[in-house]
Coordinates of all heavy atoms in Angstrom, one line a residue:
L1 N 13.8 -11.5 -17.4 CA 13.1 -10.8 -16.4 C 11.6 -11.1 -16.1 O 10.9 -11.4 -17.2 CB 13.1 -9.3 -16.9 CG 12.5 -8.2 -15.9 CD1 13.3 -8.1 -14.7 CD2 12.4 -6.9 -16.6
A2 N 11.2 -11.3 -14.9 CA 9.9 -11.6 -14.6 C 9.5 -10.8 -13.3 O 10.3 -10.2 -12.7 CB 9.7 -13.1 -14.3
E3 N 8.2 -10.6 -13.2 CA 7.6 -9.9 -12.1 C 6.9 -10.9 -11.1 O 6.3 -11.8 -11.6 CB 6.5 -8.9 -12.6 CG 5.9 -8.1 -11.5 CD 4.7 -7.2 -12.0 OE1 4.4 -7.3 -13.2 OE2 4.2 -6.4 -11.1
V4 N 7.1 -10.6 -9.9 CA 6.4 -11.3 -8.8 C 5.2 -10.5 -8.6 O 5.3 -9.3 -8.3 CB 7.2 -11.4 -7.5 CG1 6.4 -12.0 -6.5 CG2 8.5 -12.2 -7.8
R5 N 4.0 -11.1 -8.7 CA 2.7 -10.4 -8.6 C 1.8 -11.0 -7.5 O 1.9 -12.2 -7.3 CB 1.9 -10.4 -9.9 CG 2.6 -9.7 -11.0 CD 1.7 -9.8 -12.3 NE 2.2 -8.9 -13.3 CZ 1.7 -8.8 -14.5 NH1 0.6 -9.5 -14.8 NH2 2.2 -7.9 -15.4
T6 N 0.9 -10.3 -7.0 CA -0.2 -10.7 -6.3 C 0.3 -11.7 -5.0 O -0.4 -12.7 -4.8 CB -1.2 -11.4 -7.1 OG1 -1.3 -10.7 -8.3 CG2 -2.6 -11.5 -6.5
V7 N 1.3 -11.3 -4.4 CA 1.7 -12.1 -3.2 C 0.8 -11.6 -2.0 O 0.9 -10.5 -1.6 CB 3.2 -12.0 -2.9 CG1 3.6 -12.7 -1.6 CG2 4.0 -12.5 -4.1
A8 N 0.1 -12.6 -1.4 CA -0.7 -12.3 -0.3 C -1.0 -13.5 0.5 O -1.0 -14.6 0.0 CB -2.1 -11.6 -0.8
V9 N -1.3 -13.3 1.8 CA -1.5 -14.4 2.8 C -2.7 -14.0 3.6 O -2.9 -12.8 4.0 CB -0.2 -14.7 3.6 CG1 -0.6 -15.6 4.7 CG2 0.9 -15.0 2.8
V10 N -3.6 -14.9 4.0 CA -4.7 -14.6 4.8 C -4.2 -14.1 6.1 O -3.1 -14.5 6.6 CB -5.6 -15.8 5.0 CG1 -6.2 -16.2 3.7 CG2 -4.9 -17.0 5.6
D11 N -4.9 -13.3 6.8 CA -4.4 -12.6 8.0 C -4.0 -13.5 9.1 O -3.0 -13.4 9.7 CB -5.5 -11.7 8.6 CG -5.7 -10.4 7.8 OD1 -4.7 -10.1 7.1 OD2 -6.7 -9.7 7.9
K12 N -4.7 -14.6 9.3 CA -4.4 -15.6 10.3 C -3.0 -16.3 10.1 O -2.5 -16.9 11.1 CB -5.5 -16.6 10.5 CG -5.6 -17.6 9.4 CD -6.8 -18.6 9.7 CE -6.8 -19.6 8.6 NZ -8.0 -20.5 8.8
M13 N -2.5 -16.2 8.9 CA -1.3 -16.9 8.6 C -0.1 -15.9 8.3 O 1.1 -16.3 8.2 CB -1.4 -17.7 7.3 CG -2.4 -18.9 7.5 SD -1.9 -20.0 8.9 CE -0.5 -20.8 8.2
R14 N -0.4 -14.6 8.5 CA 0.7 -13.6 8.3 C 1.7 -13.8 9.5 O 1.4 -14.1 10.6 CB 0.1 -12.2 8.4 CG -0.6 -11.9 7.1 CD -1.3 -10.5 7.1 NE -0.3 -9.4 7.2 CZ 0.3 -8.8 6.1 NH1 0.0 -9.2 5.0 NH2 1.2 -7.9 6.4
G15 N 3.0 -13.6 9.1 CA 4.1 -13.7 10.0 C 4.5 -15.1 10.4 O 5.3 -15.4 11.3
K16 N 4.0 -16.1 9.6 CA 4.3 -17.6 9.9 C 5.1 -18.2 8.8 O 5.3 -19.4 8.8 CB 3.0 -18.3 10.1 CG 2.2 -17.8 11.3 CD 1.0 -18.7 11.6 CE 0.3 -18.1 12.8 NZ -0.8 -18.8 13.2
G17 N 5.7 -17.3 8.0 CA 6.6 -17.9 6.9 C 5.9 -18.3 5.6 O 6.6 -18.8 4.7
V18 N 4.6 -18.2 5.6 CA 3.9 -18.6 4.4 C 4.3 -17.8 3.1 O 4.6 -18.3 2.1 CB 2.4 -18.6 4.6 CG1 1.6 -18.9 3.3 CG2 2.0 -19.6 5.7
G19 N 4.3 -16.5 3.3 CA 4.7 -15.6 2.3 C 6.2 -15.8 1.7 O 6.4 -15.9 0.5
N20 N 7.0 -16.1 2.7 CA 8.4 -16.5 2.3 C 8.4 -17.7 1.5 O 9.2 -17.8 0.6 CB 9.3 -16.6 3.6 CG 9.4 -15.3 4.4 OD1 9.3 -14.3 3.9 ND2 9.5 -15.5 5.7
A21 N 7.7 -18.7 1.9 CA 7.7 -20.0 1.3 C 7.1 -19.8 -0.2 O 7.6 -20.4 -1.2 CB 6.9 -21.0 2.0
I22 N 6.1 -19.0 -0.3 CA 5.6 -18.7 -1.7 C 6.7 -18.0 -2.5 O 6.8 -18.5 -3.7 CB 4.3 -17.8 -1.6 CG1 3.2 -18.7 -1.0 CG2 3.9 -17.3 -3.0 CD1 2.0 -17.8 -0.6
I23 N 7.4 -17.1 -2.0 CA 8.4 -16.4 -2.8 C 9.5 -17.3 -3.1 O 10.0 -17.4 -4.3 CB 9.0 -15.2 -1.9 CG1 8.1 -14.1 -1.8 CG2 10.4 -14.7 -2.6 CD1 7.7 -13.3 -3.0
E24 N 9.9 -18.2 -2.3 CA 10.9 -19.2 -2.6 C 10.5 -20.1 -3.7 O 11.3 -20.5 -4.6 CB 11.5 -19.9 -1.4 CG 12.4 -19.0 -0.5 CD 13.5 -18.3 -1.4 OE1 14.2 -19.0 -2.1 OE2 13.5 -17.1 -1.2
K25 N 9.3 -20.5 -3.7 CA 8.8 -21.4 -4.7 C 8.8 -20.6 -6.1 O 9.2 -21.2 -7.2 CB 7.3 -21.9 -4.4 CG 6.8 -22.9 -5.4 CD 7.5 -24.2 -5.2 CE 6.7 -25.4 -5.9 NZ 7.3 -26.6 -5.6
I26 N 8.4 -19.3 -6.1 CA 8.4 -18.5 -7.3 C 9.8 -18.4 -7.8 O 10.0 -18.5 -9.0 CB 7.7 -17.2 -7.0 CG1 6.2 -17.4 -6.8 CG2 8.0 -16.2 -8.1 CD1 5.4 -16.2 -6.4
V27 N 10.7 -18.1 -6.9 CA 12.2 -18.0 -7.3 C 12.7 -19.3 -8.0 O 13.3 -19.2 -9.0 CB 13.1 -17.6 -6.1 CG1 14.5 -17.9 -6.4 CG2 12.8 -16.2 -5.6
T28 N 12.3 -20.4 -7.4 CA 12.7 -21.8 -8.0 C 12.1 -21.9 -9.4 O 12.8 -22.3 -10.3 CB 12.2 -22.9 -7.1 OG1 12.9 -22.8 -5.8 CG2 12.5 -24.2 -7.7
K29 N 10.9 -21.6 -9.5 CA 10.2 -21.6 -10.8 C 10.9 -20.6 -11.8 O 11.1 -21.1 -12.9 CB 8.7 -21.3 -10.7 CG 8.0 -21.4 -11.9 CD 6.4 -21.0 -11.7 CE 5.6 -21.2 -12.9 NZ 4.2 -20.9 -12.7
A30 N 11.2 -19.5 -11.3 CA 11.9 -18.5 -12.2 C 13.2 -19.0 -12.7 O 13.5 -19.0 -14.0 CB 12.1 -17.2 -11.5
K31 N 14.0 -19.6 -11.9 CA 15.3 -20.2 -12.2 C 15.1 -21.3 -13.2 O 15.9 -21.5 -14.2 CB 16.0 -20.7 -11.0 CG 16.6 -19.6 -10.1 CD 17.2 -20.1 -8.9 CE 17.8 -19.2 -7.9 NZ 18.4 -19.7 -6.8
E32 N 14.1 -22.2 -13.0 CA 13.9 -23.3 -13.8 C 13.5 -23.0 -15.2 O 13.9 -23.6 -16.2 CB 12.7 -24.2 -13.3 CG 13.1 -25.0 -12.0 CD 11.8 -25.7 -11.3 OE1 10.7 -25.4 -11.8 OE2 12.1 -26.5 -10.4
I33 N 12.9 -21.8 -15.4 CA 12.5 -21.4 -16.8 C 13.5 -20.5 -17.4 O 13.3 -19.9 -18.5 CB 11.0 -20.8 -16.8 CG1 10.9 -19.6 -16.0 CG2 10.0 -21.9 -16.5 CD1 9.6 -18.9 -16.1
G34 N 14.6 -20.2 -16.7 CA 15.6 -19.4 -17.2 C 15.6 -17.8 -16.9 O 16.4 -17.1 -17.5
V35 N 14.8 -17.4 -16.0 CA 14.7 -16.0 -15.6 C 15.9 -15.7 -14.7 O 16.2 -16.5 -13.8 CB 13.4 -15.7 -15.0 CG1 13.4 -14.3 -14.3 CG2 12.3 -15.9 -16.0
A36 N 16.6 -14.6 -14.9 CA 17.7 -14.3 -14.1 C 17.5 -13.2 -13.0 O 18.2 -12.9 -12.1 CB 18.9 -13.8 -14.9
R37 N 16.4 -12.3 -13.3 CA 16.0 -11.3 -12.5 C 14.5 -11.3 -12.2 O 13.7 -11.5 -13.2 CB 16.5 -10.0 -13.0 CG 17.9 -9.8 -13.4 CD 18.2 -8.6 -14.1 NE 17.5 -8.5 -15.3 CZ 17.2 -7.3 -15.9 NH1 17.6 -6.1 -15.4 NH2 16.6 -7.2 -17.1
I38 N 14.1 -11.0 -11.0 CA 12.6 -10.9 -10.7 C 12.5 -9.5 -10.0 O 13.3 -9.1 -9.2 CB 12.0 -12.0 -9.9 CG1 12.8 -12.3 -8.6 CG2 12.0 -13.3 -10.8 CD1 12.2 -13.4 -7.8
Y39 N 11.4 -8.9 -10.3 CA 11.2 -7.6 -9.7 C 9.7 -7.5 -9.2 O 8.9 -8.4 -9.4 CB 11.4 -6.4 -10.7 CG 10.2 -6.1 -11.5 CD1 9.3 -5.1 -11.1 CD2 9.9 -6.8 -12.6 CE1 8.2 -4.8 -11.9 CE2 8.8 -6.6 -13.4 CZ 8.0 -5.6 -13.0 OH 6.8 -5.4 -13.8
C40 N 9.4 -6.6 -8.4 CA 8.0 -6.4 -7.8 C 7.8 -4.9 -7.7 O 8.7 -4.1 -7.6 CB 7.8 -7.1 -6.6 SG 8.9 -6.5 -5.2
L41 N 6.5 -4.5 -7.8 CA 6.2 -3.1 -7.4 C 5.3 -3.4 -6.1 O 4.3 -4.0 -6.2 CB 5.3 -2.6 -8.5 CG 5.9 -2.4 -9.9 CD1 4.9 -2.1 -10.9 CD2 6.9 -1.2 -9.8
T42 N 5.8 -2.8 -5.1 CA 5.2 -3.2 -3.8 C 5.1 -2.0 -2.8 O 5.9 -1.1 -2.9 CB 6.0 -4.4 -3.2 OG1 5.3 -4.8 -2.0 CG2 7.4 -3.9 -2.8
F43 N 4.2 -2.2 -1.9 CA 4.1 -1.4 -0.6 C 4.8 -2.1 0.6 O 5.0 -1.5 1.5 CB 2.6 -1.1 -0.3 CG 1.9 -0.4 -1.4 CD1 1.0 -1.1 -2.2 CD2 2.2 1.0 -1.8 CE1 0.3 -0.5 -3.2 CE2 1.5 1.6 -2.8 CZ 0.5 0.9 -3.5
E44 N 5.0 -3.3 0.4 CA 5.5 -4.2 1.5 C 7.1 -4.3 1.3 O 7.6 -5.4 1.1 CB 4.8 -5.6 1.5 CG 3.4 -5.5 1.7 CD 3.0 -5.1 3.1 OE1 3.7 -5.4 4.0 OE2 1.9 -4.5 3.2
T45 N 7.7 -3.3 1.4 CA 9.2 -3.3 1.2 C 10.0 -4.1 2.2 O 11.0 -4.7 1.7 CB 9.8 -1.8 1.1 OG1 9.4 -1.1 2.3 CG2 9.2 -1.1 -0.1
D46 N 9.6 -4.1 3.4 CA 10.3 -4.8 4.4 C 10.2 -6.3 4.1 O 11.2 -7.0 4.2 CB 9.8 -4.5 5.8 CG 10.1 -3.2 6.3 OD1 11.0 -2.5 5.7 OD2 9.4 -2.7 7.2
F47 N 9.0 -6.8 3.7 CA 8.8 -8.2 3.4 C 9.7 -8.6 2.2 O 10.4 -9.6 2.3 CB 7.4 -8.6 3.1 CG 7.1 -9.9 2.4 CD1 7.2 -11.0 3.2 CD2 7.0 -10.0 1.0 CE1 7.0 -12.2 2.7 CE2 6.7 -11.2 0.5 CZ 6.8 -12.4 1.3
F48 N 9.7 -7.8 1.1 CA 10.4 -8.2 0.0 C 12.0 -8.1 0.2 O 12.8 -8.8 -0.3 CB 10.0 -7.4 -1.2 CG 8.7 -8.0 -1.9 CD1 7.5 -7.4 -1.6 CD2 8.8 -9.1 -2.7 CE1 6.3 -8.1 -2.1 CE2 7.7 -9.7 -3.2 CZ 6.5 -9.2 -3.0

């Protein structure tokens, strides 16, 4: 188990897939180190 933390993008890049790319890199890293579940505590439920 790991937590995704502090995901944020500068305003001018919001909605351009940058946040999604960051999440996918984090997911890849989690898999590489053996994590099977990732969670977040968020206000951005639609994004996640």
Side-chain angles (χ1 to χ4, degrees):
L1 181 67
E3 178 183 8
V4 175
R5 293 181 172 180
T6 320
V7 176
V9 175
V10 297
D11 282 342
K12 70 180 181 183
M13 297 301 291
R14 286 178 63 89
K16 297 184 178 182
V18 174
N20 298 332
I22 290 169
I23 291 293
E24 284 313 306
K25 186 71 163 186
I26 288 171
V27 165
T28 298
K29 183 178 181 180
K31 289 177 181 178
E32 287 172 354
I33 62 173
V35 170
R37 303 176 299 155
I38 54 176
Y39 85 96
C40 63
L41 297 170
T42 187
F43 302 106
E44 300 290 330
T45 55
D46 290 341
F47 168 78
F48 281 98

